[in-house]
């Protein structure tokens, strides 16, 4: 990941994290993210959050947010700056969850539908959003809340 791409993501994550922390204070901490080198979504809710972070960072760069100017001042240019498609390939096992946001695929979240079974995407109904994916280790439920 290039320094400028990382700065854009850092800016987006900071703003979205403030919103998330406010939500946790209001509604409780069920699945906050641990610190780590690379984000690894472990449930549909985390996967959606990471997609939102990437899209938010992309918009920040496209709209030339003033908050990025200071972060970019000392960072080198690189031909791979802001390669959002590459990041999507690296950070996600697949992009199945994005089907939930297509009006054309309404109902695909239900694992009992033909369309869901054909694609093999699994249970993305709201009650399953915090169920851990079977191929990853669950996060430590005792991790501290931090801001």
């Amino acid at each position: 990941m290039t320094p400028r791409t990382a700065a854009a993501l850092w800016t987006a994550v900071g703003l979205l994290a403030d919103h998330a922390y406010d939500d946790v204070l209001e509604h409780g901490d069920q699945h906050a993210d641990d610190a780590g080198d690379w984000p690894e979504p472990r449930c549909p809710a985390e996967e959606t959050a990471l997609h939102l972070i990437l899209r938010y960072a992309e918009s920040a760069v496209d709209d030339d947010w003033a908050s990025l100017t200071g972060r970019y001042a000392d960072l080198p240019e690189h031909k791979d700056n802001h390669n959002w498609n590459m990041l999507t390939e690296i950070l996600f096992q697949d992009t199945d969850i994005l089907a939930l946001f297509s009006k054309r695929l309404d109902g695909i979240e239900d694992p009992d539908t033909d369309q869901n079974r054909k694609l093999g995407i699994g249970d993305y109904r709201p009650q399953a959003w915090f169920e851990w994916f079977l191929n990853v280790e669950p996060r430590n439920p005792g991790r501290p809340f931090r801001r």
Side-chain angles (χ1 to χ4, degrees):
M1 182 180 312
T2 69
R4 288 181 178 235
T5 302
L9 289 172
W10 183 259
T11 300
V13 167
L15 292 170
L16 290 171
D18 281 342
H19 296 299
Y21 286 127
D22 291 341
D23 188 64
V24 168
L25 288 173
E26 185 175 338
H27 302 289
D29 174 18
Q30 298 223 350
H31 286 278
D33 197 8
D34 287 338
D37 293 328
W38 284 98
E40 180 183 27
R42 296 169 187 251
C43 66
E46 291 179 358
E47 191 174 37
T48 299
L50 188 53
H51 278 291
L52 290 172
I53 289 166
L54 289 175
R55 297 299 71 88
Y56 203 64
E58 184 176 12
S59 293
V61 169
D62 289 348
D63 294 343
D64 197 26
W65 286 8
S67 57
L68 289 176
T69 305
R71 293 194 191 277
Y72 278 12
D74 297 323
L75 298 177
E77 290 279 347
H78 192 279
K79 67 179 180 65
D80 289 329
N81 280 341
H82 313 127
N83 188 337
W84 309 113
N85 291 330
M86 177 186 66
L87 283 176
T88 298
E89 286 191 31
I90 291 169
L91 297 175
F92 299 97
Q93 295 179 42
D94 57 50
T95 57
D96 292 345
I97 200 159
L98 298 179
L100 297 179
F101 303 100
S102 171
K103 289 181 183 180
R104 188 175 55 82
L105 299 174
D106 189 38
I108 198 164
E109 67 278 1
D110 187 339
D112 293 327
T113 63
D114 290 338
Q115 194 170 31
N116 182 303
R117 279 183 287 198
K118 181 179 177 182
L119 296 174
I121 68 171
D123 192 354
Y124 281 130
R125 293 174 296 177
Q127 63 267 29
W129 272 50
F130 293 98
E131 296 295 322
W132 304 116
F133 294 138
L134 299 177
N135 62 343
V136 297
E137 290 292 320
R139 296 197 187 280
N140 177 357
R143 68 200 171 280
F145 176 75
R146 56 194 180 274
R147 185 170 206 162

